[in-house]
Amino acid sequence: MTSAPSLTFVFEIRAEIAEHLHIGHGDGERTEFTPITGGSVHGPRLTGTVLPGGGDWSSTRGEIFQLEARYLIRADDGAVIDIVNRGYYHEGGTSPEQYDGALMVARAGTYFRTAPVFRTDAPAHRWLAETVFVGLAREEDGHIVIRCYSVD
C-alpha cells in the first residue's frame, strides 16, 4: 500500500528586503525587483545567513504576483548555497489558515507558496540539491519568511 507524500520541516529563511524597484509595465503586466539585503536561516537541518546582493523579480497580472527570487546562503560551516525560489502570491482565495505547531505559517485567504531549488557542491549540504521542497511564505517584521519543508 502506498501513502500520500508528507512534508518535513527543515529550516526557515528570514530574508531582509529593501524597497522594491519598479522596472516597467507590459501588456497587462507590471514588473518589479525587490533587493534582498541579508537575513538568516535557522532550522534542524540548516543554519546560516542570507548573503546580501540577491533579489526577487515579481510579475503582477491583475491581483496575482508571480515571484522569482535568487540569492545565496552561507551555511554556518562556510559552504555557499545558491537558491532559486519561484512561487505565487495572491489574496482573496480559499486558502485556509495554517499552523505548524503553535506558529501560524499562512493566513486565511492568502496564498503565498514557493518551490525553492538549491545548488551546492558542499558534501554536507548535497541533500539540498537532491530534494524537492515546498515553502510557506509570509511577511513578518519587515522580512519575507519562508518556512521550508522537504517532500518525503
Side-chain angles (χ1 to χ4, degrees):
M1 175 190 264
T2 60
S3 61
S6 62
L7 301 176
T8 301
F9 170 65
V10 289
F11 52 84
E12 188 169 87
I13 300 168
R14 298 183 67 81
E16 299 168 2
I17 58 173
E19 290 293 320
H20 68 268
L21 305 169
H22 175 78
I23 296 172
H25 289 291
D27 187 24
E29 184 174 296
R30 182 177 74 239
T31 303
E32 296 177 333
F33 175 76
T34 303
I36 295 173
T37 60
S40 62
V41 179
H42 292 285
R45 297 283 313 265
L46 182 65
T47 304
T49 58
V50 176
L51 298 176
D56 182 17
W57 287 259
S58 67
S59 297
T60 307
R61 289 177 215 88
E63 300 297 316
I64 305 214
F65 295 78
Q66 183 177 3
L67 311 167
E68 182 171 338
R70 183 154 196 178
Y71 48 101
L72 299 173
I73 294 169
R74 184 181 306 278
D76 280 353
D77 65 5
V80 176
I81 302 162
D82 177 51
I83 176 173
V84 176
N85 202 356
R86 294 184 174 105
Y88 290 93
Y89 173 88
H90 56 85
E91 295 180 353
T94 59
S95 298
E97 189 171 85
Q98 293 179 310
Y99 289 84
D100 188 347
L103 177 67
M104 182 190 296
V105 294
R107 291 181 302 150
T110 301
Y111 186 89
F112 197 178
R113 307 286 188 273
T114 69
V117 175
F118 301 91
R119 291 190 305 175
T120 185
D121 65 357
H125 305 292
R126 186 73 191 147
W127 66 276
L128 289 164
E130 300 169 346
T131 305
V132 172
F133 297 91
V134 173
L136 296 180
R138 65 189 188 277
E139 291 184 53
E140 185 178 282
D141 300 326
H143 293 77
I144 299 298
V145 181
I146 304 165
R147 196 159 177 89
C148 295
Y149 297 85
S150 63
V151 178
D152 304 323

Short mmCIF file of all heavy atoms in Angstrom, two decimals, residues 84-137:
data_model
loop_
_atom_site.label_atom_id
_atom_site.label_comp_id
_atom_site.label_asym_id
_atom_site.label_seq_id
_atom_site.Cartn_x
_atom_site.Cartn_y
_atom_site.Cartn_z
N VAL A 84 17.21 29.34 -5.93
CA VAL A 84 16.24 29.95 -6.84
C VAL A 84 14.89 29.56 -6.28
O VAL A 84 14.59 28.37 -6.12
CB VAL A 84 16.40 29.46 -8.30
CG1 VAL A 84 15.31 30.05 -9.18
CG2 VAL A 84 17.77 29.82 -8.83
N ASN A 85 14.08 30.54 -5.97
CA ASN A 85 12.82 30.30 -5.27
C ASN A 85 11.68 30.93 -6.08
O ASN A 85 11.55 32.15 -6.13
CB ASN A 85 12.91 30.90 -3.87
CG ASN A 85 11.94 30.28 -2.92
OD1 ASN A 85 11.13 29.44 -3.28
ND2 ASN A 85 12.01 30.70 -1.67
N ARG A 86 10.89 30.09 -6.73
CA ARG A 86 9.76 30.57 -7.54
C ARG A 86 8.46 30.30 -6.81
O ARG A 86 8.35 29.30 -6.09
CB ARG A 86 9.76 29.85 -8.89
CG ARG A 86 10.94 30.21 -9.73
CD ARG A 86 10.86 29.56 -11.10
NE ARG A 86 11.94 30.03 -11.94
CZ ARG A 86 13.01 29.31 -12.25
NH1 ARG A 86 13.13 28.07 -11.81
NH2 ARG A 86 13.95 29.82 -13.01
N GLY A 87 7.49 31.17 -7.02
CA GLY A 87 6.21 30.96 -6.37
C GLY A 87 5.16 31.95 -6.79
O GLY A 87 5.33 32.72 -7.75
N TYR A 88 4.08 31.95 -6.01
CA TYR A 88 2.93 32.82 -6.27
C TYR A 88 2.43 33.44 -4.98
O TYR A 88 2.49 32.81 -3.91
CB TYR A 88 1.78 32.04 -6.91
CG TYR A 88 2.07 31.60 -8.31
CD1 TYR A 88 2.61 30.35 -8.58
CD2 TYR A 88 1.83 32.46 -9.38
CE1 TYR A 88 2.90 29.95 -9.87
CE2 TYR A 88 2.11 32.07 -10.68
CZ TYR A 88 2.64 30.82 -10.91
OH TYR A 88 2.93 30.44 -12.19
N TYR A 89 1.90 34.66 -5.13
CA TYR A 89 1.23 35.35 -4.02
C TYR A 89 -0.05 35.94 -4.55
O TYR A 89 -0.06 36.60 -5.61
CB TYR A 89 2.12 36.48 -3.47
CG TYR A 89 1.41 37.32 -2.43
CD1 TYR A 89 1.44 36.95 -1.10
CD2 TYR A 89 0.70 38.45 -2.80
CE1 TYR A 89 0.77 37.72 -0.15
CE2 TYR A 89 0.03 39.21 -1.85
CZ TYR A 89 0.08 38.84 -0.52
OH TYR A 89 -0.59 39.58 0.42
N HIS A 90 -1.14 35.68 -3.85
CA HIS A 90 -2.40 36.37 -4.13
C HIS A 90 -3.31 36.28 -2.93
O HIS A 90 -3.17 35.39 -2.08
CB HIS A 90 -3.08 35.87 -5.41
CG HIS A 90 -3.38 34.40 -5.44
ND1 HIS A 90 -4.49 33.85 -4.88
CD2 HIS A 90 -2.67 33.39 -5.97
CE1 HIS A 90 -4.49 32.55 -5.08
NE2 HIS A 90 -3.38 32.24 -5.73
N GLU A 91 -4.19 37.23 -2.83
CA GLU A 91 -5.14 37.30 -1.72
C GLU A 91 -6.55 37.05 -2.23
O GLU A 91 -6.81 37.15 -3.42
CB GLU A 91 -5.06 38.66 -1.03
CG GLU A 91 -3.72 38.92 -0.38
CD GLU A 91 -3.64 40.27 0.30
OE1 GLU A 91 -4.56 41.09 0.16
OE2 GLU A 91 -2.62 40.51 0.97
N GLY A 92 -7.44 36.77 -1.28
CA GLY A 92 -8.85 36.64 -1.62
C GLY A 92 -9.29 35.25 -2.03
O GLY A 92 -10.42 35.04 -2.40
N GLY A 93 -8.39 34.28 -1.94
CA GLY A 93 -8.74 32.92 -2.32
C GLY A 93 -9.32 32.14 -1.14
O GLY A 93 -9.68 32.70 -0.11
N THR A 94 -9.36 30.85 -1.30
CA THR A 94 -9.93 29.98 -0.27
C THR A 94 -8.86 29.28 0.57
O THR A 94 -9.18 28.34 1.29
CB THR A 94 -10.82 28.92 -0.93
OG1 THR A 94 -10.02 28.16 -1.85
CG2 THR A 94 -12.00 29.56 -1.67
N SER A 95 -7.64 29.74 0.49
CA SER A 95 -6.56 29.11 1.27
C SER A 95 -6.88 29.20 2.76
O SER A 95 -7.26 30.26 3.26
CB SER A 95 -5.22 29.80 1.01
OG SER A 95 -4.86 29.68 -0.33
N PRO A 96 -6.72 28.10 3.49
CA PRO A 96 -7.03 28.12 4.92
C PRO A 96 -5.90 28.72 5.75
O PRO A 96 -4.76 28.81 5.30
CB PRO A 96 -7.18 26.63 5.25
CG PRO A 96 -6.24 25.96 4.31
CD PRO A 96 -6.31 26.78 3.03
N GLU A 97 -6.23 29.13 6.97
CA GLU A 97 -5.21 29.50 7.94
C GLU A 97 -4.46 28.22 8.29
O GLU A 97 -5.08 27.18 8.51
CB GLU A 97 -5.89 30.09 9.18
CG GLU A 97 -4.98 30.70 10.18
CD GLU A 97 -5.77 31.43 11.25
OE1 GLU A 97 -6.18 30.75 12.22
OE2 GLU A 97 -5.96 32.64 11.12
N GLN A 98 -3.12 28.28 8.30
CA GLN A 98 -2.34 27.08 8.57
C GLN A 98 -1.33 27.33 9.68
O GLN A 98 -0.77 28.42 9.77
CB GLN A 98 -1.61 26.62 7.30
CG GLN A 98 -2.56 26.13 6.23
CD GLN A 98 -1.83 25.69 4.98
OE1 GLN A 98 -0.98 26.42 4.47
NE2 GLN A 98 -2.15 24.52 4.48
N TYR A 99 -1.12 26.28 10.47
CA TYR A 99 -0.18 26.34 11.60
C TYR A 99 0.81 25.18 11.50
O TYR A 99 0.48 24.11 11.00
CB TYR A 99 -0.93 26.22 12.93
CG TYR A 99 -1.73 27.45 13.27
CD1 TYR A 99 -3.00 27.64 12.76
CD2 TYR A 99 -1.19 28.43 14.10
CE1 TYR A 99 -3.73 28.77 13.07
CE2 TYR A 99 -1.92 29.57 14.41
CZ TYR A 99 -3.18 29.73 13.89
OH TYR A 99 -3.90 30.85 14.20
N ASP A 100 2.01 25.43 11.98
CA ASP A 100 2.99 24.38 12.21
C ASP A 100 3.22 24.41 13.72
O ASP A 100 3.95 25.28 14.22
CB ASP A 100 4.28 24.66 11.44
CG ASP A 100 5.26 23.50 11.48
OD1 ASP A 100 5.05 22.58 12.31
OD2 ASP A 100 6.22 23.50 10.71
N GLY A 101 2.55 23.54 14.45
CA GLY A 101 2.51 23.63 15.90
C GLY A 101 1.73 24.88 16.27
O GLY A 101 0.65 25.13 15.76
N ALA A 102 2.31 25.74 17.11
CA ALA A 102 1.65 26.99 17.51
C ALA A 102 1.94 28.14 16.55
O ALA A 102 1.33 29.20 16.65
CB ALA A 102 2.09 27.37 18.92
N LEU A 103 2.86 27.95 15.60
CA LEU A 103 3.27 29.02 14.69
C LEU A 103 2.32 29.12 13.49
O LEU A 103 2.15 28.14 12.76
CB LEU A 103 4.70 28.76 14.19
CG LEU A 103 5.24 29.77 13.17
CD1 LEU A 103 5.42 31.14 13.81
CD2 LEU A 103 6.55 29.26 12.59
N MET A 104 1.71 30.30 13.29
CA MET A 104 0.89 30.49 12.11
C MET A 104 1.82 30.69 10.91
O MET A 104 2.62 31.61 10.89
CB MET A 104 -0.03 31.71 12.23
CG MET A 104 -0.92 31.88 10.99
SD MET A 104 -1.84 33.42 10.88
CE MET A 104 -2.90 33.30 12.27
N VAL A 105 1.69 29.82 9.92
CA VAL A 105 2.56 29.89 8.75
C VAL A 105 1.82 30.39 7.51
O VAL A 105 2.45 30.69 6.50
CB VAL A 105 3.23 28.52 8.45
CG1 VAL A 105 4.20 28.16 9.58
CG2 VAL A 105 2.21 27.43 8.24
N ALA A 106 0.50 30.50 7.57
CA ALA A 106 -0.28 31.04 6.45
C ALA A 106 -1.59 31.62 6.97
O ALA A 106 -2.27 31.00 7.79
CB ALA A 106 -0.57 29.94 5.43
N ARG A 107 -1.89 32.84 6.50
CA ARG A 107 -3.15 33.49 6.87
C ARG A 107 -4.27 32.98 5.96
O ARG A 107 -4.04 32.71 4.78
CB ARG A 107 -3.05 35.00 6.70
CG ARG A 107 -2.13 35.67 7.70
CD ARG A 107 -2.11 37.17 7.49
NE ARG A 107 -1.67 37.45 6.11
CZ ARG A 107 -2.05 38.51 5.40
NH1 ARG A 107 -2.85 39.39 5.90
NH2 ARG A 107 -1.60 38.67 4.18
N ALA A 108 -5.46 32.92 6.50
CA ALA A 108 -6.62 32.53 5.70
C ALA A 108 -6.81 33.52 4.57
O ALA A 108 -6.65 34.74 4.75
CB ALA A 108 -7.87 32.48 6.58
N GLY A 109 -7.11 33.02 3.38
CA GLY A 109 -7.37 33.88 2.23
C GLY A 109 -6.12 34.39 1.54
O GLY A 109 -6.22 35.16 0.59
N THR A 110 -4.94 33.99 2.00
CA THR A 110 -3.69 34.43 1.38
C THR A 110 -2.91 33.21 0.89
O THR A 110 -2.59 32.32 1.68
CB THR A 110 -2.82 35.22 2.37
OG1 THR A 110 -3.54 36.36 2.82
CG2 THR A 110 -1.53 35.67 1.72
N TYR A 111 -2.62 33.18 -0.39
CA TYR A 111 -1.82 32.10 -0.98
C TYR A 111 -0.44 32.67 -1.25
O TYR A 111 -0.26 33.54 -2.10
CB TYR A 111 -2.46 31.63 -2.28
CG TYR A 111 -1.79 30.41 -2.87
CD1 TYR A 111 -2.20 29.14 -2.51
CD2 TYR A 111 -0.75 30.54 -3.79
CE1 TYR A 111 -1.59 28.02 -3.04
CE2 TYR A 111 -0.13 29.42 -4.31
CZ TYR A 111 -0.56 28.16 -3.94
OH TYR A 111 0.05 27.06 -4.46
N PHE A 112 0.57 32.20 -0.50
CA PHE A 112 1.95 32.66 -0.63
C PHE A 112 2.83 31.41 -0.51
O PHE A 112 3.23 31.01 0.58
CB PHE A 112 2.25 33.67 0.46
CG PHE A 112 3.48 34.53 0.26
CD1 PHE A 112 3.79 35.51 1.19
CD2 PHE A 112 4.33 34.38 -0.82
CE1 PHE A 112 4.91 36.32 1.06
CE2 PHE A 112 5.46 35.17 -0.97
CZ PHE A 112 5.75 36.14 -0.03
N ARG A 113 3.05 30.75 -1.65
CA ARG A 113 3.76 29.48 -1.68
C ARG A 113 4.93 29.56 -2.65
O ARG A 113 4.86 30.25 -3.66
CB ARG A 113 2.84 28.34 -2.14
CG ARG A 113 1.55 28.21 -1.38
CD ARG A 113 1.76 27.64 0.01
NE ARG A 113 0.51 27.33 0.66
CZ ARG A 113 -0.20 28.17 1.39
NH1 ARG A 113 0.22 29.42 1.53
NH2 ARG A 113 -1.31 27.80 1.96
N THR A 114 6.00 28.84 -2.34
CA THR A 114 7.18 28.83 -3.19
C THR A 114 7.68 27.39 -3.39
O THR A 114 7.29 26.48 -2.65
CB THR A 114 8.31 29.69 -2.60
OG1 THR A 114 8.82 29.06 -1.43
CG2 THR A 114 7.85 31.10 -2.29
N ALA A 115 8.57 27.25 -4.36
CA ALA A 115 9.22 25.97 -4.63
C ALA A 115 10.73 26.22 -4.75
O ALA A 115 11.25 26.40 -5.84
CB ALA A 115 8.67 25.36 -5.92
N PRO A 116 11.44 26.26 -3.62
CA PRO A 116 12.88 26.55 -3.65
C PRO A 116 13.69 25.39 -4.23
O PRO A 116 13.41 24.22 -3.97
CB PRO A 116 13.24 26.79 -2.18
CG PRO A 116 12.15 26.15 -1.39
CD PRO A 116 10.93 26.13 -2.25
N VAL A 117 14.70 25.76 -5.03
CA VAL A 117 15.64 24.80 -5.60
C VAL A 117 17.04 25.26 -5.22
O VAL A 117 17.37 26.44 -5.37
CB VAL A 117 15.50 24.72 -7.14
CG1 VAL A 117 16.56 23.81 -7.74
CG2 VAL A 117 14.10 24.24 -7.52
N PHE A 118 17.87 24.34 -4.74
CA PHE A 118 19.19 24.67 -4.21
C PHE A 118 20.29 24.04 -5.06
O PHE A 118 20.10 22.96 -5.62
CB PHE A 118 19.32 24.16 -2.77
CG PHE A 118 18.30 24.75 -1.84
CD1 PHE A 118 17.08 24.11 -1.65
CD2 PHE A 118 18.54 25.94 -1.17
CE1 PHE A 118 16.13 24.65 -0.79
CE2 PHE A 118 17.60 26.49 -0.32
CZ PHE A 118 16.40 25.84 -0.13
N ARG A 119 21.45 24.73 -5.09
CA ARG A 119 22.65 24.18 -5.73
C ARG A 119 23.84 24.40 -4.81
O ARG A 119 24.02 25.49 -4.28
CB ARG A 119 22.93 24.87 -7.07
CG ARG A 119 21.91 24.54 -8.13
CD ARG A 119 22.31 25.03 -9.48
NE ARG A 119 22.60 26.47 -9.46
CZ ARG A 119 23.07 27.13 -10.48
NH1 ARG A 119 23.33 26.53 -11.61
NH2 ARG A 119 23.31 28.43 -10.40
N THR A 120 24.63 23.34 -4.65
CA THR A 120 25.88 23.41 -3.90
C THR A 120 26.67 22.13 -4.16
O THR A 120 26.07 21.09 -4.46
CB THR A 120 25.66 23.58 -2.39
OG1 THR A 120 26.92 23.75 -1.74
CG2 THR A 120 24.92 22.42 -1.78
N ASP A 121 27.98 22.22 -4.06
CA ASP A 121 28.79 21.00 -4.15
C ASP A 121 29.37 20.63 -2.79
O ASP A 121 30.18 19.71 -2.68
CB ASP A 121 29.88 21.13 -5.21
CG ASP A 121 30.92 22.19 -4.87
OD1 ASP A 121 30.78 22.89 -3.85
OD2 ASP A 121 31.87 22.33 -5.67
N ALA A 122 28.94 21.33 -1.74
CA ALA A 122 29.41 21.03 -0.38
C ALA A 122 28.83 19.68 0.06
O ALA A 122 27.60 19.52 0.09
CB ALA A 122 28.99 22.13 0.58
N PRO A 123 29.67 18.70 0.36
CA PRO A 123 29.17 17.38 0.73
C PRO A 123 28.14 17.38 1.85
O PRO A 123 27.16 16.64 1.79
CB PRO A 123 30.44 16.61 1.13
CG PRO A 123 31.54 17.31 0.39
CD PRO A 123 31.14 18.76 0.34
N ALA A 124 28.33 18.21 2.86
CA ALA A 124 27.40 18.23 3.99
C ALA A 124 26.02 18.75 3.61
O ALA A 124 25.04 18.49 4.32
CB ALA A 124 27.98 19.08 5.12
N HIS A 125 25.93 19.46 2.50
CA HIS A 125 24.65 20.07 2.11
C HIS A 125 24.14 19.56 0.76
O HIS A 125 23.19 20.11 0.22
CB HIS A 125 24.81 21.60 2.08
CG HIS A 125 25.32 22.13 3.38
ND1 HIS A 125 24.58 22.10 4.54
CD2 HIS A 125 26.52 22.66 3.71
CE1 HIS A 125 25.29 22.61 5.52
NE2 HIS A 125 26.48 22.95 5.05
N ARG A 126 24.78 18.53 0.25
CA ARG A 126 24.38 17.97 -1.05
C ARG A 126 22.92 17.55 -1.06
O ARG A 126 22.26 17.59 -2.10
CB ARG A 126 25.30 16.80 -1.41
CG ARG A 126 25.08 16.24 -2.76
CD ARG A 126 25.60 17.19 -3.83
NE ARG A 126 25.11 16.71 -5.11
CZ ARG A 126 24.79 17.47 -6.11
NH1 ARG A 126 24.96 18.77 -6.03
NH2 ARG A 126 24.34 16.98 -7.22
N TRP A 127 22.37 17.15 0.08
CA TRP A 127 20.97 16.74 0.18
C TRP A 127 20.02 17.83 -0.31
O TRP A 127 18.95 17.53 -0.84
CB TRP A 127 20.63 16.33 1.61
CG TRP A 127 20.70 17.47 2.60
CD1 TRP A 127 21.80 17.95 3.23
CD2 TRP A 127 19.60 18.26 3.04
NE1 TRP A 127 21.48 19.01 4.04
CE2 TRP A 127 20.13 19.22 3.94
CE3 TRP A 127 18.25 18.28 2.77
CZ2 TRP A 127 19.33 20.17 4.58
CZ3 TRP A 127 17.45 19.22 3.40
CH2 TRP A 127 17.99 20.15 4.29
N LEU A 128 20.44 19.11 -0.19
CA LEU A 128 19.60 20.22 -0.66
C LEU A 128 19.38 20.16 -2.17
O LEU A 128 18.30 20.49 -2.67
CB LEU A 128 20.23 21.56 -0.29
CG LEU A 128 20.22 21.94 1.18
CD1 LEU A 128 21.21 23.06 1.44
CD2 LEU A 128 18.82 22.31 1.61
N ALA A 129 20.42 19.76 -2.90
CA ALA A 129 20.36 19.70 -4.36
C ALA A 129 19.72 18.41 -4.86
O ALA A 129 19.60 18.22 -6.07
CB ALA A 129 21.76 19.87 -4.95
N GLU A 130 19.31 17.55 -3.95
CA GLU A 130 18.74 16.26 -4.32
C GLU A 130 17.34 16.06 -3.76
O GLU A 130 16.84 14.94 -3.73
CB GLU A 130 19.65 15.14 -3.80
CG GLU A 130 21.06 15.21 -4.35
CD GLU A 130 22.03 14.28 -3.65
OE1 GLU A 130 21.71 13.75 -2.56
OE2 GLU A 130 23.13 14.08 -4.20
N THR A 131 16.71 17.13 -3.29
CA THR A 131 15.43 17.05 -2.60
C THR A 131 14.47 18.09 -3.17
O THR A 131 14.88 19.19 -3.52
CB THR A 131 15.64 17.30 -1.09
OG1 THR A 131 16.62 16.37 -0.59
CG2 THR A 131 14.35 17.13 -0.30
N VAL A 132 13.19 17.75 -3.21
CA VAL A 132 12.14 18.70 -3.59
C VAL A 132 11.64 19.37 -2.32
O VAL A 132 11.41 18.71 -1.30
CB VAL A 132 10.99 17.99 -4.33
CG1 VAL A 132 9.82 18.93 -4.56
CG2 VAL A 132 11.50 17.42 -5.65
N PHE A 133 11.44 20.69 -2.40
CA PHE A 133 10.99 21.47 -1.25
C PHE A 133 9.74 22.27 -1.59
O PHE A 133 9.52 22.65 -2.73
CB PHE A 133 12.08 22.46 -0.80
CG PHE A 133 13.33 21.79 -0.32
CD1 PHE A 133 14.36 21.51 -1.19
CD2 PHE A 133 13.45 21.43 1.01
CE1 PHE A 133 15.51 20.88 -0.76
CE2 PHE A 133 14.60 20.79 1.46
CZ PHE A 133 15.63 20.52 0.57
N VAL A 134 8.97 22.55 -0.55
CA VAL A 134 7.83 23.46 -0.61
C VAL A 134 8.07 24.52 0.44
O VAL A 134 8.50 24.21 1.56
CB VAL A 134 6.51 22.71 -0.32
CG1 VAL A 134 5.34 23.68 -0.22
CG2 VAL A 134 6.24 21.66 -1.38
N GLY A 135 7.80 25.79 0.09
CA GLY A 135 7.95 26.88 1.04
C GLY A 135 6.62 27.54 1.33
O GLY A 135 5.87 27.87 0.41
N LEU A 136 6.32 27.71 2.61
CA LEU A 136 5.16 28.50 3.03
C LEU A 136 5.71 29.85 3.44
O LEU A 136 6.51 29.94 4.37
CB LEU A 136 4.43 27.84 4.20
CG LEU A 136 3.79 26.48 3.92
CD1 LEU A 136 3.12 25.96 5.18
CD2 LEU A 136 2.80 26.57 2.79
N ALA A 137 5.33 30.89 2.73
CA ALA A 137 5.91 32.21 2.94
C ALA A 137 4.93 33.14 3.62
O ALA A 137 3.71 32.99 3.52
CB ALA A 137 6.36 32.80 1.60
#
